[in-house]
Structures are given as C-alpha cells and as structure tokens.
C-alpha cells in the first residue's frame, strides 16, 4: 500500500519533470504553424512544421541515406580522433618533451577555424578524405587535452602508494592513470562527438560546390540551389537529430561506465 | 634478529627541498622491532617527511638510513586521506598490493577476507568508496596496508580528519590489530593524547627544521583499554609529552626522574 503511493508519487514527479518541456516544445511548433498559415507565408520563405514533416517522409529515402553517410563520416573521424588523441596524451604523460613539442601544434589546429582550413584541404586531398580530415581535426583536440589532463591529475597519494609497492610504469598506467583519466576522457568524447559532426558538415558544405559527397550538408546545399526550402529544413532537422543522438549515445556510455563511482553521475535525491 | 637491534636507524638525516625549505635536519632515530613509535610534533615539523623517507618515497639530502636486516621489510602505508581508488570496490582496493605483486585473484581471496575481517568490514566487499563513511574508508585503507602482512606499518596522521568518536574507536582497533599482528608501527600524529594512548614510545619533534627533541618511553602493557585513558599514569605521559612539545628550552626543567 505504502509502496503503491510511493510509486504514484514517483510517476507524478516524472510527469512533472517531462510535461513542461514537452508542452513548451509543442506550443512553439504550434505557434510556428499558426503564424505561417495565418500570415500565408509561402513555403519557399518559411515552411510550416507540418510541411517539413511531410517533406521528411516524402524524401526519406534520399535523406536517410545521406544521414547514414554523415553518421559514418562522423564516427570514422571520431574513432581516428580517439585513437590519435589517446595515444598522444599517453605520450605526453610519459615524456614531458613530447608534450612541450607537440602541444602547440594541437593548439594551432584547434584555434584555426575549420571553415578556413577546409578549402585548403580540398585542394590537397580528394573531397571524401578532406571531409574526414576536417571532422578529425576538430574532434581531436578535446580528446587529447581532456585525456592529458586526466592522466596528469591522478591522486598523488595513490601514485606514492603504487611507488611504495614498486609498481612498474605499465602497472601504474593500467591500474591507476587510465581509470583516473576515464571521466575526463568521456567528457572530451562527448564534446568531440558533437564537434566531429560539425566538422563533417562544414567540410561537406565547402566540398559541396565541388560536386562531391552525398551527406546531409550536401543535401542542404543542393536544396538551396533548387530553392527547395522545405527540404533544407528537413535536412537541417535530421542534422539536429543526429547531433542529439550522438550526444545521447555518449552520455549513455558515460553513465554506464561512471554511475557506480564517479560524482558526475551521482543521482541527487 | 636480536630483540634489541633497531629495525632501522636514521643517522643525521636531513631533507631540504629545491624550494629552499629545510624540512628535516640532523635527525637521529632508532626504530626498534615490534614497537609502536609515535612521531609527535606540530604541523610542518617534518615528521611526515621522516615517514616518507623511511618508506622510501623520498630520498634524504643528508645522512643515512640503515636497515637492521639486509633491506627494507615489506611496508604498509596509511595516508591521512583514505586514498582509495574510487573506481574500484572495497575488495579490489584491498587487492591492490597483492595484484601489483602478481598474486592471482584466487590466491588473494583468503588474505583479503582476513584483512577485511580484521578491520570489521566483512560483507562490504562489493561497496564502492563513495558509499562508505569516512571511518569505514579509513578501515579499508588500513586493510589494504595490512593485506600484504608488512613487517613495518607506517601511518601518516591517519585519523586526523575523523570525528572524535570514530577516532577513539579506531585507536582501540588499531592497538588490537597491532598486538595480533606483532608488526612494527610508526605513527605520525599531532595529538598528544593519541600518541600517549597508543605508543610504546613517543619521539617528540621540534619545530622546523625538524629533529627529535626528546623521546618518551611509555612503560605500560601494550594491551590498553578505556581504563588506561582515565588512569593517572596516562595523564602523566600526556603532560610529559605536552611539555616536551611546547618545551624548547623551558621544557627541559621538568622534575621527572
């Protein structure tokens, strides 16, 4: 009986958590729909949400194929960034001169806007590779800097303890530094996931004029040329959804790995 | 292995840091096998540095350390913070010293169960540090130090951050463990009462740069209980240690035999 009231209270709390954002979101869409219809705004200026939705359904075959292309570029670039970033961060942690010599390059790569680099890369590389490299370049830095920070900020008393038990450097790395760096790495991964998508989109748009690629960004460029504004919005919606899915995916991984022990995943009662 | 031989002898040991700070100067100290030695002193007097030198975590800049045996025995170290790995549960935290030594999980089961039993944490194997209270975390830390059955247990103000009630309880438990395991303990503290209650001998440190100002033998049976805290002898020892601590030149004029 008591448990049942508890369940009801919990359901009510959950409802109160979810209801306001859902209602606000629906209201915004409703307002948009209303304004477009009431003011009779033509679809080539601003399509109504209902039209975007129907376009999404109608063009699903083309758009979903493009979404898969964008997703696979994002994840390929991200995998490369994870591998490169973690390996370099490990080298930073082992040898200080590596950090001092290579970190400036990483910073330069990070602070130079990718939009400015993309055209250059398109000159040197074939468009497919250039898109991949762009996405890699933006995703690389957060992984590198976060992992390096995590490896460096291991509890010094624990390091002493490992020294006391005469742990080898390899043991210290496996049993101490890597687990200690995990929360930092996962934080970097979440940022890098979103950035890799942005990098892929930017490069695709830059490459789009070269007539290559079939990712979501290319669909936007193409629809723009044809003044097919509803389709631009539909592709844009899919890009947002892709970004949200990537973020949710890495947040989920982060939660799974950290929930038991790390404060960032603690549930506040 | 004669009973009177020192386990370790520090001769004229000094430690200066590159920052220019001299933490220790002219430290002469014998640690006897089987004793419970407290290093008592104000904060910043170098007693923790002395402990780290004995542990081999840092090298002295002057003087030398001689081990009575051929080399340093197995050492357990307990820090002021529990210093547990937050990503590992209690069992895996206690397993650490054995794991680093290459002991397989199966072979580690028994010593870990015993170590957890000694500190009263049987049944908490699967708990994570964040789920434990401060006192329980410190117990895990002690179990980890004891699991490898060290010949020498070094403790750096282990109970300083705990509340009074928990600290008194852990004082009693530590004395019981000490008498069961017959290990040598070096215990750094800034509490006169704690050192007088626990030790067989107190080395009182002077302020910076640190050296031993006076050593006080506590000639009471090693097994002590709450009665001892109320005894007149305990009060005397506290007074002596306190006088030595605040003494400097004045403290020398004690009327003690």
């Amino acid at each position: 009986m008591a448990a049942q009231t508890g369940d009801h209270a919990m359901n009510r709390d959950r409802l109160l958590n979810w209801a306001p954002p859902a209602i606000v979101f629906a209201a915004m869409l409703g307002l948009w729909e209303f304004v477009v219809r009431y003011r009779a705004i033509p679809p080539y200026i601003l399509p109504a949400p209902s039209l975007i939705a129907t376009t999404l359904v109608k063009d699903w075959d083309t758009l979903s194929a493009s979404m898969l292309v964008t997703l696979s570029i994002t994840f390929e670039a991200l995998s490369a960034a994870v591998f490169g970033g973690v390996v370099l961060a490990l080298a930073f942690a082992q040898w200080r001169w590596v950090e001092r010599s290579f970190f400036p390059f990483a910073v330069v790569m990070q602070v130079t806007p990718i939009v400015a680099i993309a055209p250059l890369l398109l000159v040197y590389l074939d468009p497919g590779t250039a898109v991949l490299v762009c996405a890699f370049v933006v995703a690389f830095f957060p992984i590198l800097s976060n992992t390096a920070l995590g490896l460096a900020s291991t509890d010094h008393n624990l390091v002493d303890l490992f020294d006391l038990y005469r742990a080898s450097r390899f043991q210290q790395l496996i049993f101490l530094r890597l687990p200690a760096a995990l929360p930092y790495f996962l934080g970097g991964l979440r940022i890098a996931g979103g950035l890799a998508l942005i990098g892929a989109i930017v490069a695709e748009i830059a490459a789009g004029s070269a007539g290559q690629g079939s990712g979501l960004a290319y669909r936007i460029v193409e629809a723009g040329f044809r003044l097919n504004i509803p389709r631009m919005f539909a592709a844009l919606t899919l890009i947002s959804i892709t970004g949200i899915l990537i973020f949710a995916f890495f947040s989920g991984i982060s939660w799974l790995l950290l929930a038991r022990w790390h404060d960032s995943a603690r549930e506040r009662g | 292995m004669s009973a009177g031989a020192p386990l370790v002898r520090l001769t004229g040991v000094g430690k200066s840091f590159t920052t220019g700070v001299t933490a220790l100067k002219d430290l002469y100290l014998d640690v006897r096998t089987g004793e419970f030695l407290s290093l008592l002193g104000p904060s910043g007097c170098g007693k923790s540095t002395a402990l780290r030198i004995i542990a081999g975590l840092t090298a002295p800049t002057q003087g030398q350390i001689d081990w009575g045996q051929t080399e340093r025995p197995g050492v357990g170290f307990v820090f002021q913070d529990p210093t547990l790995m937050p990503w590992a549960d209690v069992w895996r935290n206690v397993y650490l010293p054995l794991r680093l030594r290459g002991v397989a999980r199966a072979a580690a089961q028994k010593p870990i169960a015993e170590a957890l039993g000694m500190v009263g944490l049987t049944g908490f194997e699967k708990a994570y540090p964040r789920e434990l209270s401060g006192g329980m975390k410190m117990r895990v830390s002690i179990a980890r130090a004891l699991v490898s059955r060290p010949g020498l247990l070094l403790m750096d103000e282990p109970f300083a951050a705990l509340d009074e009630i928990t600290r008194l309880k852990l004082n009693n438990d530590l004395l019981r463990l000490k008498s069961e395991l017959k290990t040598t303990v070096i215990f750094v503290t800034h509490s006169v009462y704690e050192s007088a209650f626990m030790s067989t001998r107190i080395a009182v440190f002077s302020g910076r740069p640190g050296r031993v100002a006076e050593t006080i033998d506590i000639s009471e049976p090693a097994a002590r209980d709450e009665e001892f805290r109320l005894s007149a002898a305990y009060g005397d020892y506290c007074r002596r240690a306190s006088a030595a601590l605040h003494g400097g030149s004045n403290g020398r004029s004690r009327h003690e035999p």
Side-chain angles (χ1 to χ4, degrees), chain A residues 198-221:
Chain A
I198 292 174
I201 298 286
V202 165
E204 257 183 48
I205 285 182
S209 50
Q212 176 71 30
S214 53
L216 279 174
Y218 177 70
R219 294 297 162 210
I220 289 184
V221 176

Side-chain angles (χ1 to χ4, degrees), chain A residues 222-235:
Chain A
E222 182 192 51
F225 285 147
R226 296 175 188 170
L227 274 186
N228 188 348
I229 309 301
R231 195 172 186 180
M232 280 180 93
F233 270 93

